[in-house]
Amino acid sequence: MPNDVLFLPDWRKGNPYQNLLAAGVESTGLKVGFMDYPTGTFGLWKAARSQRGIHVLHLHWVNPLIAPIFWSGSQLKARVRVWMMALSVLMIRATGVRVIWTVHNLISHESPDPQREIMARRCLARVVTRLVFHSNNARAAVEETLGIQLGHKSEVIPHGNYIGIYRKNMDRAQELTRDF
């Protein structure tokens, strides 16, 4: 049975967030698949085309998606890679697949080039179908950083909790090293 929703990247190991979200989505009758970002030109397009029948491509942490932009050398090469990423999203949308981005970070924790990252995130925010934020404050911070208004194409869905997921006497560092 084909997937209805495809989550990228697959970061389930060590963090229950995606499994919990997938369970919530699947409780509505939809099937969720997982995949890491494919490498190379038009990687998002490749991912979407490899999963025939999907209705939603759901982006989570975009660090691996935009990493090649950091290492592009010249500003022109960086811009071309941003445009190619945008074109990939637009090609996916042209097939009727919705591209949703849950924005988990303002910028990557260890961004080698915050200005290029902001350029890439601004472009991505403009071309995706919808953005999801876990709070109004997060949306406001992203809007301010990117310099664009996103209220018309975004939703605030409060972050769930992990009550009952982690063992009571186990600290977070121990839990992250445990195999699921």
Side-chain angles (χ1 to χ4, degrees), residues 7-39:
F7 283 6
L8 289 127
D10 182 356
W11 284 7
R12 293 176 286 173
K13 186 174 170 91
N15 183 337
Y17 173 82
Q18 283 183 315
N19 282 327
L20 293 169
L21 182 58
V25 170
E26 288 180 335
S27 74
T28 69
L30 299 174
K31 185 162 175 23
V32 177
F34 297 87
M35 178 185 282
D36 285 323
Y37 288 109
T39 58

mmCIF file of all heavy atoms in Angstrom, residues 7-39:
data_model
loop_
_atom_site.group_PDB
_atom_site.id
_atom_site.type_symbol
_atom_site.label_atom_id
_atom_site.label_comp_id
_atom_site.label_asym_id
_atom_site.label_seq_id
_atom_site.Cartn_x
_atom_site.Cartn_y
_atom_site.Cartn_z
ATOM 1 N N PHE A 7 7.574 11.767 5.179
ATOM 2 C CA PHE A 7 8.358 12.628 6.069
ATOM 3 C C PHE A 7 9.824 12.612 5.636
ATOM 4 O O PHE A 7 10.401 11.546 5.443
ATOM 5 C CB PHE A 7 8.311 12.105 7.506
ATOM 6 C CG PHE A 7 7.055 12.385 8.285
ATOM 7 C CD1 PHE A 7 5.938 12.974 7.720
ATOM 8 C CD2 PHE A 7 7.007 12.045 9.628
ATOM 9 C CE1 PHE A 7 4.801 13.222 8.463
ATOM 10 C CE2 PHE A 7 5.867 12.288 10.388
ATOM 11 C CZ PHE A 7 4.761 12.875 9.800
ATOM 12 N N LEU A 8 10.409 13.789 5.527
ATOM 13 C CA LEU A 8 11.830 13.933 5.246
ATOM 14 C C LEU A 8 12.437 14.896 6.246
ATOM 15 O O LEU A 8 11.822 15.930 6.510
ATOM 16 C CB LEU A 8 12.061 14.509 3.839
ATOM 17 C CG LEU A 8 11.747 13.587 2.684
ATOM 18 C CD1 LEU A 8 10.809 14.273 1.742
ATOM 19 C CD2 LEU A 8 13.019 13.229 1.982
ATOM 20 N N PRO A 9 13.615 14.664 6.780
ATOM 21 C CA PRO A 9 14.377 13.425 6.735
ATOM 22 C C PRO A 9 13.864 12.450 7.789
ATOM 23 O O PRO A 9 13.053 12.802 8.633
ATOM 24 C CB PRO A 9 15.793 13.887 7.094
ATOM 25 C CG PRO A 9 15.592 15.018 8.051
ATOM 26 C CD PRO A 9 14.334 15.710 7.557
ATOM 27 N N ASP A 10 14.376 11.247 7.724
ATOM 28 C CA ASP A 10 14.012 10.214 8.695
ATOM 29 C C ASP A 10 14.954 10.329 9.896
ATOM 30 O O ASP A 10 16.061 9.802 9.885
ATOM 31 C CB ASP A 10 14.135 8.834 8.052
ATOM 32 C CG ASP A 10 13.723 7.711 8.983
ATOM 33 O OD1 ASP A 10 13.401 7.981 10.155
ATOM 34 O OD2 ASP A 10 13.722 6.552 8.528
ATOM 35 N N TRP A 11 14.509 11.056 10.904
ATOM 36 C CA TRP A 11 15.310 11.249 12.114
ATOM 37 C C TRP A 11 14.611 10.627 13.317
ATOM 38 O O TRP A 11 14.620 11.167 14.416
ATOM 39 C CB TRP A 11 15.571 12.737 12.347
ATOM 40 C CG TRP A 11 16.622 13.311 11.447
ATOM 41 C CD1 TRP A 11 17.233 12.698 10.393
ATOM 42 C CD2 TRP A 11 17.191 14.613 11.519
ATOM 43 N NE1 TRP A 11 18.131 13.542 9.807
ATOM 44 C CE2 TRP A 11 18.128 14.719 10.467
ATOM 45 C CE3 TRP A 11 16.989 15.700 12.355
ATOM 46 C CZ2 TRP A 11 18.867 15.863 10.251
ATOM 47 C CZ3 TRP A 11 17.726 16.838 12.130
ATOM 48 C CH2 TRP A 11 18.661 16.927 11.093
ATOM 49 N N ARG A 12 14.013 9.458 13.134
ATOM 50 C CA ARG A 12 13.282 8.803 14.223
ATOM 51 C C ARG A 12 14.192 8.236 15.292
ATOM 52 O O ARG A 12 13.803 8.157 16.445
ATOM 53 C CB ARG A 12 12.405 7.676 13.668
ATOM 54 C CG ARG A 12 11.277 8.168 12.793
ATOM 55 C CD ARG A 12 10.524 7.019 12.197
ATOM 56 N NE ARG A 12 11.348 6.418 11.143
ATOM 57 C CZ ARG A 12 11.027 5.299 10.509
ATOM 58 N NH1 ARG A 12 9.935 4.647 10.834
ATOM 59 N NH2 ARG A 12 11.810 4.833 9.557
ATOM 60 N N LYS A 13 15.389 7.829 14.925
ATOM 61 C CA LYS A 13 16.280 7.186 15.900
ATOM 62 C C LYS A 13 16.703 8.193 16.962
ATOM 63 O O LYS A 13 17.260 9.229 16.655
ATOM 64 C CB LYS A 13 17.505 6.609 15.202
ATOM 65 C CG LYS A 13 18.395 5.817 16.137
ATOM 66 C CD LYS A 13 19.509 5.139 15.377
ATOM 67 C CE LYS A 13 20.509 4.563 16.321
ATOM 68 N NZ LYS A 13 20.314 3.247 16.726
ATOM 69 N N GLY A 14 16.431 7.886 18.195
ATOM 70 C CA GLY A 14 16.870 8.721 19.299
ATOM 71 C C GLY A 14 15.925 9.842 19.689
ATOM 72 O O GLY A 14 16.147 10.502 20.682
ATOM 73 N N ASN A 15 14.885 10.083 18.886
ATOM 74 C CA ASN A 15 13.933 11.142 19.204
ATOM 75 C C ASN A 15 12.544 10.657 18.796
ATOM 76 O O ASN A 15 12.318 10.370 17.625
ATOM 77 C CB ASN A 15 14.292 12.425 18.450
ATOM 78 C CG ASN A 15 13.366 13.581 18.794
ATOM 79 O OD1 ASN A 15 12.237 13.404 19.233
ATOM 80 N ND2 ASN A 15 13.848 14.782 18.578
ATOM 81 N N PRO A 16 11.631 10.563 19.739
ATOM 82 C CA PRO A 16 10.311 10.011 19.426
ATOM 83 C C PRO A 16 9.389 10.956 18.643
ATOM 84 O O PRO A 16 8.293 10.565 18.260
ATOM 85 C CB PRO A 16 9.728 9.708 20.806
ATOM 86 C CG PRO A 16 10.399 10.672 21.716
ATOM 87 C CD PRO A 16 11.785 10.854 21.167
ATOM 88 N N TYR A 17 9.799 12.188 18.385
ATOM 89 C CA TYR A 17 8.916 13.189 17.765
ATOM 90 C C TYR A 17 8.241 12.671 16.488
ATOM 91 O O TYR A 17 7.024 12.709 16.365
ATOM 92 C CB TYR A 17 9.688 14.484 17.477
ATOM 93 C CG TYR A 17 8.876 15.486 16.696
ATOM 94 C CD1 TYR A 17 7.971 16.316 17.348
ATOM 95 C CD2 TYR A 17 8.968 15.577 15.315
ATOM 96 C CE1 TYR A 17 7.197 17.222 16.643
ATOM 97 C CE2 TYR A 17 8.203 16.468 14.603
ATOM 98 C CZ TYR A 17 7.316 17.295 15.262
ATOM 99 O OH TYR A 17 6.547 18.177 14.552
ATOM 100 N N GLN A 18 9.029 12.195 15.524
ATOM 101 C CA GLN A 18 8.435 11.792 14.251
ATOM 102 C C GLN A 18 7.539 10.559 14.393
ATOM 103 O O GLN A 18 6.506 10.484 13.739
ATOM 104 C CB GLN A 18 9.513 11.542 13.199
ATOM 105 C CG GLN A 18 10.082 12.824 12.628
ATOM 106 C CD GLN A 18 11.093 12.559 11.536
ATOM 107 O OE1 GLN A 18 11.967 11.696 11.687
ATOM 108 N NE2 GLN A 18 10.990 13.298 10.449
ATOM 109 N N ASN A 19 7.926 9.618 15.243
ATOM 110 C CA ASN A 19 7.068 8.446 15.450
ATOM 111 C C ASN A 19 5.727 8.848 16.053
ATOM 112 O O ASN A 19 4.680 8.335 15.653
ATOM 113 C CB ASN A 19 7.753 7.414 16.346
ATOM 114 C CG ASN A 19 8.784 6.605 15.594
ATOM 115 O OD1 ASN A 19 8.625 6.334 14.412
ATOM 116 N ND2 ASN A 19 9.841 6.231 16.277
ATOM 117 N N LEU A 20 5.767 9.751 17.030
ATOM 118 C CA LEU A 20 4.527 10.197 17.659
ATOM 119 C C LEU A 20 3.647 10.954 16.661
ATOM 120 O O LEU A 20 2.431 10.750 16.608
ATOM 121 C CB LEU A 20 4.827 11.065 18.880
ATOM 122 C CG LEU A 20 5.488 10.346 20.053
ATOM 123 C CD1 LEU A 20 5.979 11.356 21.088
ATOM 124 C CD2 LEU A 20 4.522 9.355 20.675
ATOM 125 N N LEU A 21 4.261 11.836 15.873
ATOM 126 C CA LEU A 21 3.506 12.577 14.869
ATOM 127 C C LEU A 21 2.933 11.634 13.819
ATOM 128 O O LEU A 21 1.767 11.750 13.432
ATOM 129 C CB LEU A 21 4.378 13.648 14.207
ATOM 130 C CG LEU A 21 3.689 14.518 13.163
ATOM 131 C CD1 LEU A 21 2.488 15.253 13.753
ATOM 132 C CD2 LEU A 21 4.685 15.500 12.564
ATOM 133 N N ALA A 22 3.738 10.680 13.365
ATOM 134 C CA ALA A 22 3.257 9.709 12.378
ATOM 135 C C ALA A 22 2.088 8.903 12.930
ATOM 136 O O ALA A 22 1.105 8.662 12.223
ATOM 137 C CB ALA A 22 4.389 8.777 11.951
ATOM 138 N N ALA A 23 2.167 8.516 14.186
ATOM 139 C CA ALA A 23 1.059 7.779 14.805
ATOM 140 C C ALA A 23 -0.208 8.628 14.814
ATOM 141 O O ALA A 23 -1.305 8.126 14.545
ATOM 142 C CB ALA A 23 1.423 7.338 16.223
ATOM 143 N N GLY A 24 -0.066 9.916 15.119
ATOM 144 C CA GLY A 24 -1.217 10.806 15.100
ATOM 145 C C GLY A 24 -1.813 10.940 13.711
ATOM 146 O O GLY A 24 -3.027 10.893 13.524
ATOM 147 N N VAL A 25 -0.950 11.080 12.709
ATOM 148 C CA VAL A 25 -1.424 11.184 11.320
ATOM 149 C C VAL A 25 -2.078 9.873 10.894
ATOM 150 O O VAL A 25 -3.153 9.867 10.283
ATOM 151 C CB VAL A 25 -0.261 11.562 10.375
ATOM 152 C CG1 VAL A 25 -0.668 11.445 8.920
ATOM 153 C CG2 VAL A 25 0.245 12.974 10.685
ATOM 154 N N GLU A 26 -1.458 8.753 11.237
ATOM 155 C CA GLU A 26 -1.997 7.448 10.844
ATOM 156 C C GLU A 26 -3.322 7.140 11.536
ATOM 157 O O GLU A 26 -4.135 6.389 11.011
ATOM 158 C CB GLU A 26 -0.963 6.350 11.077
ATOM 159 C CG GLU A 26 0.164 6.445 10.054
ATOM 160 C CD GLU A 26 1.238 5.393 10.201
ATOM 161 O OE1 GLU A 26 1.433 4.861 11.330
ATOM 162 O OE2 GLU A 26 1.906 5.105 9.193
ATOM 163 N N SER A 27 -3.562 7.743 12.702
ATOM 164 C CA SER A 27 -4.844 7.526 13.387
ATOM 165 C C SER A 27 -6.013 8.113 12.591
ATOM 166 O O SER A 27 -7.163 7.780 12.849
ATOM 167 C CB SER A 27 -4.806 8.112 14.805
ATOM 168 O OG SER A 27 -4.876 9.527 14.761
ATOM 169 N N THR A 28 -5.715 8.969 11.615
ATOM 170 C CA THR A 28 -6.765 9.530 10.752
ATOM 171 C C THR A 28 -7.001 8.672 9.513
ATOM 172 O O THR A 28 -7.814 9.029 8.667
ATOM 173 C CB THR A 28 -6.412 10.965 10.313
ATOM 174 O OG1 THR A 28 -5.294 10.927 9.406
ATOM 175 C CG2 THR A 28 -6.107 11.857 11.501
ATOM 176 N N GLY A 29 -6.242 7.572 9.395
ATOM 177 C CA GLY A 29 -6.420 6.677 8.260
ATOM 178 C C GLY A 29 -5.389 6.845 7.155
ATOM 179 O O GLY A 29 -5.427 6.141 6.149
ATOM 180 N N LEU A 30 -4.449 7.765 7.323
ATOM 181 C CA LEU A 30 -3.412 7.978 6.324
ATOM 182 C C LEU A 30 -2.187 7.132 6.645
ATOM 183 O O LEU A 30 -1.932 6.809 7.797
ATOM 184 C CB LEU A 30 -3.008 9.459 6.283
ATOM 185 C CG LEU A 30 -4.115 10.440 5.915
ATOM 186 C CD1 LEU A 30 -3.633 11.870 6.061
ATOM 187 C CD2 LEU A 30 -4.612 10.185 4.497
ATOM 188 N N LYS A 31 -1.427 6.781 5.626
ATOM 189 C CA LYS A 31 -0.201 6.005 5.809
ATOM 190 C C LYS A 31 0.992 6.942 5.644
ATOM 191 O O LYS A 31 1.056 7.723 4.709
ATOM 192 C CB LYS A 31 -0.130 4.877 4.790
ATOM 193 C CG LYS A 31 1.053 3.970 4.987
ATOM 194 C CD LYS A 31 0.856 2.650 4.276
ATOM 195 C CE LYS A 31 2.048 1.725 4.326
ATOM 196 N NZ LYS A 31 2.995 1.865 5.354
ATOM 197 N N VAL A 32 1.955 6.841 6.585
ATOM 198 C CA VAL A 32 3.127 7.705 6.602
ATOM 199 C C VAL A 32 4.376 6.892 6.279
ATOM 200 O O VAL A 32 4.570 5.812 6.817
ATOM 201 C CB VAL A 32 3.301 8.386 7.977
ATOM 202 C CG1 VAL A 32 4.572 9.230 8.011
ATOM 203 C CG2 VAL A 32 2.085 9.240 8.318
ATOM 204 N N GLY A 33 5.205 7.434 5.395
ATOM 205 C CA GLY A 33 6.502 6.846 5.085
ATOM 206 C C GLY A 33 7.603 7.796 5.494
ATOM 207 O O GLY A 33 7.366 8.985 5.737
ATOM 208 N N PHE A 34 8.814 7.285 5.551
ATOM 209 C CA PHE A 34 9.979 8.073 5.970
ATOM 210 C C PHE A 34 11.092 7.882 4.960
ATOM 211 O O PHE A 34 11.269 6.805 4.412
ATOM 212 C CB PHE A 34 10.483 7.591 7.337
ATOM 213 C CG PHE A 34 9.492 7.779 8.447
ATOM 214 C CD1 PHE A 34 8.530 6.810 8.711
ATOM 215 C CD2 PHE A 34 9.513 8.926 9.221
ATOM 216 C CE1 PHE A 34 7.616 6.982 9.736
ATOM 217 C CE2 PHE A 34 8.600 9.106 10.251
ATOM 218 C CZ PHE A 34 7.656 8.130 10.503
ATOM 219 N N MET A 35 11.866 8.943 4.763
ATOM 220 C CA MET A 35 12.999 8.875 3.846
ATOM 221 C C MET A 35 13.986 9.970 4.218
ATOM 222 O O MET A 35 13.581 11.044 4.652
ATOM 223 C CB MET A 35 12.517 9.082 2.400
ATOM 224 C CG MET A 35 13.608 9.080 1.356
ATOM 225 S SD MET A 35 12.985 9.487 -0.306
ATOM 226 C CE MET A 35 12.250 7.936 -0.739
ATOM 227 N N ASP A 36 15.260 9.699 4.013
ATOM 228 C CA ASP A 36 16.256 10.753 4.140
ATOM 229 C C ASP A 36 16.260 11.562 2.851
ATOM 230 O O ASP A 36 15.788 11.097 1.805
ATOM 231 C CB ASP A 36 17.639 10.153 4.396
ATOM 232 C CG ASP A 36 17.772 9.643 5.825
ATOM 233 O OD1 ASP A 36 17.232 10.291 6.739
ATOM 234 O OD2 ASP A 36 18.409 8.596 6.019
ATOM 235 N N TYR A 37 16.813 12.763 2.906
ATOM 236 C CA TYR A 37 16.894 13.586 1.710
ATOM 237 C C TYR A 37 17.813 12.918 0.694
ATOM 238 O O TYR A 37 18.960 12.613 1.009
ATOM 239 C CB TYR A 37 17.454 14.972 2.041
ATOM 240 C CG TYR A 37 16.515 15.863 2.805
ATOM 241 C CD1 TYR A 37 16.744 16.158 4.140
ATOM 242 C CD2 TYR A 37 15.406 16.431 2.185
ATOM 243 C CE1 TYR A 37 15.890 16.989 4.845
ATOM 244 C CE2 TYR A 37 14.546 17.259 2.893
ATOM 245 C CZ TYR A 37 14.792 17.539 4.211
ATOM 246 O OH TYR A 37 13.955 18.354 4.901
ATOM 247 N N PRO A 38 17.330 12.693 -0.521
ATOM 248 C CA PRO A 38 18.233 12.177 -1.558
ATOM 249 C C PRO A 38 19.285 13.227 -1.902
ATOM 250 O O PRO A 38 19.036 14.429 -1.793
ATOM 251 C CB PRO A 38 17.305 11.944 -2.758
ATOM 252 C CG PRO A 38 15.935 11.867 -2.190
ATOM 253 C CD PRO A 38 15.948 12.776 -0.989
ATOM 254 N N THR A 39 20.426 12.778 -2.323
ATOM 255 C CA THR A 39 21.487 13.704 -2.695
ATOM 256 C C THR A 39 21.370 14.068 -4.170
ATOM 257 O O THR A 39 20.635 13.436 -4.925
ATOM 258 C CB THR A 39 22.866 13.085 -2.426
ATOM 259 O OG1 THR A 39 22.967 11.865 -3.158
ATOM 260 C CG2 THR A 39 23.059 12.822 -0.939
#
